[in-house]
């Protein structure tokens, strides 16, 4: 009997999506870097491989859609917590179509689907940080107040606090959860400021793990049977100093995952999957 | 504007009521009877005005002139009482109908007001007359003695005057207030059977209706001038609830807003509308319900939360609705039985969620199956474990606007103040961050402690709907802060004659105190009936305990360990716990500044002086451990105890000594106690009243002459407990009267003369010792423990000692109860209550000594 807020980091399923060829040229980006499509695809395959083979999750792989160059970043299309999945309304208009396939996939997984019908609301999953006890929603270029309100309505059990995102694309561009009650945070000013706000808004106490690089602060935490604490984080190649910090986590199974190409498109590790905990039917 | 008027009257208190009291009750008697006779037939009469006039004239000669003046405006026919009409205007007056007829006070007050207010009152008065005639009031008055028929009209008339006077007062407030539409449910014409009323012919009694958490109603009679706590205690007694500090009574004010009944104030003064209708509710939601001592407390908390959830006040997801609902089913019906249709009926009758549907009900049933084997108490615990995690658990929301006029909600909770915009939390001020809370008009302010990098404290202001709501929010903040953050409540401002800010302070126990107090509960878990299912909850003896809490709560059930010593051990652990949580006490100043800066400054000096002089007196509690130690070792079992008196303005200090001797169980402790209490009240009540010092003597110091209690050596004769009526009660009495000039000879521009006349008096009642332990044999002190707790108006210091003497272990609990309060506190009542509580907590012990030390402030009431 899973009570309220039990089992943070427990996942059974992951939804991912393929990389369309249009990614290299048409996907949205804040920098002007060139993206090597093949490298990006290789990276993504490795990522999916870790989820499926190494961690044993049931991976649902949605086919890429050439019309949706950013579709690989599935995180922005849905927020899943418990049995409820909120289908978002992405802030970037070119990405709105991404939610369709996601919705179908989540329906197939028998999730309770909540959709945003309000035309004034925008919400990117990348702005939503779920700590296991509450939500923080970054108010960014992609997410507005109304979107956050709808999220709060969808997950009534939890407090939903808003955090202004002053720099960077999403809230999770500089932070993520590194374990129950552990926030991994970048060391830039705006990241630290955001953390302060989160701490002030919360009734709970969080530990923090500060990494030198903001982008490295985006990692994936899971708590899996027979594996315990698992952390997917950046590689030494990308952020050597930050990796040293992660390596201090003695209780975690640390899995470095390369993200060199996708990061050029502001894609972080969490962006490329939607993680779901589906309880066994008879329990 | 309106709001100011109301606050003004709030502060005002009637000083003359008391003197007018006795005759009124008789009048009421008359009136009641009349009404009872005539109510029925006069149902349709809408216009009684003309008749009023006629009948009134005849009587007018009996009345003093000032009354006549009023009367011309306000007569009502003595015989033609109309039932309350449904017309909207009657709403306002409905309220006053039942108000106690305090002739002098109210009439004068009304007159005063007339002068002060520029508003013409004539029209209103007329209106009120017609409405006033719609009087159900007397119906609620008790005591109908058919035979006593002395000049009924006169009495009637006088009563009417009072009512009208009150009406006028009320009406002024009302008309000034925004025309809120109020439900016309003001009248609860309860006809008391005349048979029941003959008992106390002098007391005016009203019937209060309290809606309990299970939806049932509890009616009880209270004296009209009873304070909130009296009714609250009655309700708790009815519910068999000991951990009462988490709860409170609410009433709907004239604007249909839910307000907490202040235990320290007269009910009548708070409810305003004469609607003696209340609800029993959870006031402070314990952040960790598993730390509650008794199952019955948890059950009541569950009931409140079920309602919170079903009404949508506590929002939660579909799954959580279903989960909570399934625990409710388990608690009410026990294990799921496929062939038993009852839960199915129950489930659709019951509201689990605001938008309950078939799907949810099915989910509830499905989850219910998985709770097999869970006892009701365990199901309650599970329910609470889940409910407490909900983000809105225990958050009291208040509508407001921020400085830019944006609609927000302010949520007061255990941790601090939360700011919401729609569902989103947009800010949060934890109690330690808040330096000061205040309100002015309809603004509510919090002063924020400067952050690490900031230099200055900042003030954040919010706009409330009106002054009333600002004040209500402020009060709730004061109470929540005190309850959850402080170890002991802040004392209310003692200098009552200087009206700076509100005198309001949280008067109950803090959470830390109530945890301590409830850890002392030593009774078998009471059985209670679960109303919705009629399921009886028994104590969990022998039931499998499933461990649920992460806290790893010590599951030693209260009432199961027969030895108090053990209890105290687990207690100390608890105490440490409490301290750990609540030591970080912020220096929160709680004041509402409705004064200008100059006024504040003007009074500042005098206040601090006054404070100092009052504070010079040693604090009332707790007693120094060293002293205890000494006393105990020297005469552990002796009956002679010197009650060391503290100097303060406390009115009554009672110390109740309970003792239990292992191996000598007391068979009739109840009676022993009874005896002590009765004697006590008889002795204390009389000699005090006639004393009134009319000439204010000037003194230059605040010292109050304090006597040392004369303790009497008790009869050392061994008396058998089986003959309680023969228990000798030794009584000593000592009365000292002293006057104190509390304030220095400053040029304070207050018209009030701050003279405090104090009368001090000590009475000791001693039951003869049950054993012959007065032999002075010193015994070995095993354990000693002192616990202080505070409740509504009492501070209780409990000292538990265990001594070993000649192979017999003896546990002695000495409680020192300091009862503080206004003069119209019912001391005997409070004392009796204190003793009763002590008894309830230790049913297997007997009261062996009661020392009453009474210190009465004889100063003229100036407010």
């Amino acid at each position: 009997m899973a009570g309220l807020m039990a089992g943070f980091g427990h996942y059974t399923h992951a939804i991912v999506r393929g990389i369309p060829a249009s990614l290299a040229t048409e996907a949205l980006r804040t920098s002007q870097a060139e993206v090597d499509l093949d490298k990006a695809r290789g990276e993504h395959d490795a990522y999916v491989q870790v989820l499926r083979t190494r961690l044993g999750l049931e991976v649902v792989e949605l086919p890429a859609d050439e019309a949706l160059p950013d579709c690989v970043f599935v995180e922005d299309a849905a927020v899943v917590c418990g049995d409820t999945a909120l289908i978002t309304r992405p802030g970037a208009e070119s990405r709105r179509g991404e939610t369709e396939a996601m919705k179908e996939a989540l329906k197939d997984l028998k999730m309770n689907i909540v959709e945003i019908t309000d035309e004034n609301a925008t919400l990117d999953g990348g702005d939503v940080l779920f700590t296991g006890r509450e939500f923080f929603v970054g108010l960014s270029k992609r997410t507005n107040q109304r979107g956050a309100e709808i999220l709060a309505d969808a997950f009534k059990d939890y407090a939903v606090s808003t955090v202004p995102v002053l720099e960077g694309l999403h809230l999770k561009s500089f932070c993520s959860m590194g374990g129950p009650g552990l926030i991994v945070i970048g060391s830039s000013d705006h990241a630290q400021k955001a953390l302060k706000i989160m701490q002030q808004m919360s009734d709970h106490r969080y530990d923090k793990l500060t990494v030198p690089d903001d982008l490295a602060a985006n990692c994936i935490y899971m708590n899996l049977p027979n594996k315990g604490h698992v952390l997917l984080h950046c590689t030494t190649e990308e952020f050597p100093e930050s990796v040293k910090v992660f390596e201090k986590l003695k209780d975690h199974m640390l899995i470095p995952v390369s993200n060199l190409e996708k990061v050029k498109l502001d894609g972080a590790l969490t962006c490329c999957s939607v993680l779901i905990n589906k309880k066994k039917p008879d329990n | 504007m309106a709001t100011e008027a109301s606050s003004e009257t709030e502060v005002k208190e009637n000083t003359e009521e008391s003197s007018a009291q006795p005759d009124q009750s008789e009048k009421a008697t008359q009136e009641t009877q009349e009404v009872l006779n005539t109510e029925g037939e006069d149902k349709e009469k809408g216009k009684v005005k003309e008749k009023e006039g006629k009948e009134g004239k005849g009587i007018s000669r009996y009345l003093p002139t000032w009354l006549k003046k009023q009367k011309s405006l306000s007569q009502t026919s003595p015989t033609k009482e109309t039932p309350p009409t449904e017309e909207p205007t009657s709403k306002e007056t409905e309220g006053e109908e039942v108000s106690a007829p305090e002739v002098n006070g109210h009439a004068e007050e009304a007159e005063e007001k007339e002068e002060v207010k520029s508003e013409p009152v004539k029209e209103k008065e007329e209106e009120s007359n017609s409405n006033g005639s719609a009087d159900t009031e007397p119906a609620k008055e008790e005591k109908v003695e058919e035979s006593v028929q002395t000049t009924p009209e006169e009495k009637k008339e006088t009563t009417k005057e009072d009512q009208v006077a009150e009406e006028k007062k009320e009406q002024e407030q009302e008309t000034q207030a925004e025309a809120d539409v109020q439900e016309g449910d003001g009248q609860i014409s309860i006809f008391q059977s005349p048979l029941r009323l003959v008992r106390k012919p002098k007391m005016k009694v009203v019937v209060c209706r309290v809606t309990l958490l299970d939806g049932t109603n509890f009616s009880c009679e209270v004296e009209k001038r009873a304070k909130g706590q009296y009714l609250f205690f009655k309700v708790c007694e009815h519910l068999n609830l000991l951990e009462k500090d988490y709860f409170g009574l609410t009433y709907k004010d004239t604007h249909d807003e839910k307000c907490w009944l202040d235990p320290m104030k007269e009910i009548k003064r708070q409810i305003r509308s004469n609607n003696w209708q209340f609800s029993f509710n959870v006031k402070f939601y314990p952040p960790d319900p598993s730390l509650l001592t008794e199952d019955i407390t948890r059950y009541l908390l569950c009931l409140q939360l079920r309602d919170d959830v079903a009404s949508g006040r506590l929002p939660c997801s579909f799954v959580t609705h279903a989960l909570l609902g399934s625990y409710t089913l388990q608690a009410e019906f026990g294990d799921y039985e496929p062939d038993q249709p009852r839960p199915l009926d129950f489930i659709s009758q019951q509201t689990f969620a605001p938008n309950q549907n078939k799907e949810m009900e099915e989910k509830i049933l499905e989850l219910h199956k998985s709770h097999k084997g869970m006892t009701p108490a365990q199901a309650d615990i599970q329910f609470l474990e889940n409910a407490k995690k909900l983000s809105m658990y225990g958050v009291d929301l208040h509508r407001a606007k921020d400085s830019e006029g944006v609609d927000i909600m302010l949520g007061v909770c255990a941790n601090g103040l939360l700011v919401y915009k729609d569902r989103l939390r947009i800010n949060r001020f934890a109690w330690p961050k808040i330096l000061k809370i205040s309100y002015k008009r309809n603004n509510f302010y919090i002063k924020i402690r400067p952050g690490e990098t900031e230099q200055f404290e900042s003030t954040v202001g919010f706009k409330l709907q009106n002054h009333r709501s600002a004040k209500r929010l402020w009060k709730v903040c004061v109470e929540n802060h005190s309850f959850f953050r402080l170890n002991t409540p802040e004392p209310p401002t003692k200098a009552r004659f200087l009206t700076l800010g509100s005198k309001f302070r949280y008067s109950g126990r803090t959470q830390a105190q109530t945890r301590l107090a409830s850890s002392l509960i030593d009774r078998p878990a009471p059985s209670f009936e679960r109303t919705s299912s009629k399921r009886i909850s028994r104590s969990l003896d022998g039931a499998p305990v499933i461990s649920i809490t992460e806290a790893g709560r010590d599951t030693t059930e209260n009432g199961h360990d027969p030895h108090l010593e053990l209890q105290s051990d687990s207690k100390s652990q608890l105490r440490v716990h409490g301290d750990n949580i609540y030591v970080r006490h912020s220096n929160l100043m709680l004041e509402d500044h409705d004064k200008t800066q100059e006024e504040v400054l003007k009074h500042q000096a005098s206040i601090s002086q006054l404070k100092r002089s009052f504070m010079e007196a040693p604090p009332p509690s707790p007693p120094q451990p060293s002293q205890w130690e000494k006393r105990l070792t020297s005469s552990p079992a002796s009956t002679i105890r010197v009650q060391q008196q503290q100097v303060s303005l406390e009115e009554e200090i009672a110390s109740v000594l309970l003792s239990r001797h292992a191996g000598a169980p007391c068979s009739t402790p109840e009676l022993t106690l009874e005896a002590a209490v009765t004697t006590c009240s008889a002795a204390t009540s009389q000699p005090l009243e006639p004393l009134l010092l009319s000439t204010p003597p000037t003194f230059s110091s605040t010292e109050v002459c304090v006597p040392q209690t004369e303790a009497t050596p008790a009869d050392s004769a061994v008396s058998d407990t089986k003959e309680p009526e023969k228990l000798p009660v030794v009584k000593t009495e000592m009365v000292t009267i002293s006057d104190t000039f509390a304030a220095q000879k400053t040029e304070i521009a207050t018209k009030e003369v701050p003279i405090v006349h104090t009368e001090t008096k000590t009475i000791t009642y001693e039951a003869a010792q049950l054993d012959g332990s007065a032999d002075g044999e010193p015994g070995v002190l095993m354990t000693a423990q002192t616990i202080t707790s505070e409740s509504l108006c009492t501070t209780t210091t409990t000292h538990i000692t265990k001594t070993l003497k000649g192979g017999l272990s003896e546990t002695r609990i000495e409680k020192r109860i300091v009862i503080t309060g206004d003069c119209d506190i019912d001391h005997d009542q409070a004392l009796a209550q204190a003793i009763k509580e002590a008894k309830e907590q230790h049913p297997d012990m007997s009261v062996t000594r009661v020392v009453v030390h009474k210190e009465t402030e004889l100063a003229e009431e100036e407010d």
Side-chain angles (χ1 to χ4, degrees), chain B residues 143 174 288 410 547 629 721:
Chain B
K143 279 136 249 174
E174 291 290 337
D288 192 350
L410 293 174
S547 67
E629 225 66 34
T721 30

Side-chain angles (χ1 to χ4, degrees), chain B residues 448-638:
Chain B
I448 310 296
R449 188 183 294 277
E452 296 155 29
T453 53
E454 297 148 344
Q455 241 183 331
F456 302 104
E457 47 214 28
S458 52
T459 299
V460 185
F462 302 96
K463 270 215 175 341
L464 277 286
Q465 276 166 317
N466 50 44
H467 174 267
R468 277 193 327 275
S469 34
K471 185 178 184 183
R472 195 168 48 236
L473 171 60
W474 176 81
K475 274 188 164 186
V476 169
C477 282
V478 169
E479 295 192 313
N480 272 270
H481 171 266
S482 298
F483 186 81
F484 290 112
R485 293 286 307 171
L486 303 187
N487 283 316
T488 52
E490 290 185 306
T493 37
K494 291 246 164 144
R496 296 188 62 204
F497 31 82
L498 292 174
T499 49
L500 175 72
S502 167
K503 285 176 302 207
F504 178 79
R505 291 293 181 273
Y506 175 58
S507 56
R509 283 173 178 149
T510 65
Q511 178 172 246
Q513 290 171 331
T514 196
R515 281 186 181 164
L516 272 182
S518 51
S519 65
L520 281 171
I521 293 172
D522 182 22
R523 64 170 183 184
S527 68
F528 53 92
E529 189 182 67
R530 290 167 183 269
T531 325
S532 55
S533 63
K534 303 280 179 257
R535 197 168 177 214
I536 301 287
S537 247
R538 281 176 215 90
S539 65
L540 269 178
D541 279 316
V545 178
I546 43 166
S547 67
I548 23 82
T549 56
E550 52 278 80
R553 180 169 85 107
D554 189 348
T555 39
T556 325
E557 284 296 332
N558 55 294
H560 294 173
D561 43 2
H563 299 291
L564 209 79
E565 310 81 76
L566 290 178
Q567 274 273 302
S568 52
D569 286 345
S570 61
K571 227 162 289 152
S572 55
Q573 182 196 340
L574 252 174
R575 178 166 45 179
V576 171
H577 193 161
D579 280 348
N580 282 344
I581 298 171
Y582 296 101
V583 277
R584 290 177 302 142
H585 158 40
S586 59
N587 274 332
L588 182 61
M589 291 167 61
L590 305 163
E591 275 176 17
D592 57 333
H593 276 191
D594 250 344
K595 293 277 175 286
T596 64
Q597 202 60 35
E598 304 92 84
E599 278 175 300
V600 171
L601 289 173
K602 205 160 95 193
H603 288 304
Q604 208 79 70
S606 49
I607 291 163
S608 50
Q609 266 173 330
L610 276 170
K611 258 195 190 152
R612 222 176 304 131
S613 47
F614 276 124
M615 291 308 170
E616 272 158 17
S621 61
Q624 296 82 351
S626 59
Q627 225 123 22
W628 272 105
E629 225 66 34
K630 241 193 295 170
R631 235 188 284 165
L632 284 162
T633 41
S634 61
S635 59
S638 97

Side-chain angles (χ1 to χ4, degrees), chain B residues 733-793:
Chain B
E733 193 169 323
M734 175 167 159
V735 178
T736 319
I737 300 172
S738 68
D739 303 329
T740 307
F741 187 30
Q744 267 69 1
K745 284 166 260 168
T746 47
E747 56 295 295
I748 320 165
T750 44
K751 46 194 178 300
E752 297 90 356
V753 193
I755 307 251
V756 182
H757 306 288
T758 356
E759 188 204 51
T760 322
K761 183 170 149 147
T762 304
I763 306 162
T764 309
Y765 304 94
E766 196 114 82
Q769 291 301 291
L770 302 176
D771 59 356
S773 58
D775 50 11
E777 185 204 317
V780 189
L781 177 67
M782 303 295 285
T783 54
Q785 190 189 13
T786 306
I787 293 152
T788 308
S789 72
E790 222 155 313
S791 81
L792 301 161
C793 63

Side-chain angles (χ1 to χ4, degrees), chain A residues 4 153 157 160 200-201 203, chain B residues 317 320 386 423 425 428:
Chain A
L4 183 58
D153 227 31
D157 293 348
V160 179
Q200 192 205 315
M201 300 279 254
D203 295 325
Chain B
S317 65
T320 307
N386 283 282
R423 279 258 158 78
R425 187 183 287 183
R428 173 178 175 271

Side-chain angles (χ1 to χ4, degrees), chain B residues 439-456:
Chain B
Y439 72 98
K440 185 173 182 172
R441 288 194 284 277
N442 64 334
N443 294 304
F444 173 78
Y445 301 103
I446 49 174
K447 193 186 252 177
I448 310 296
R449 188 183 294 277
E452 296 155 29
T453 53
E454 297 148 344
Q455 241 183 331
F456 302 104

Side-chain angles (χ1 to χ4, degrees), chain B residues 688-700:
Chain B
L688 289 177
E689 264 128 59
L691 290 165
L692 250 177
L693 304 176
S694 48
T695 33
T698 17
F699 285 79
S700 51

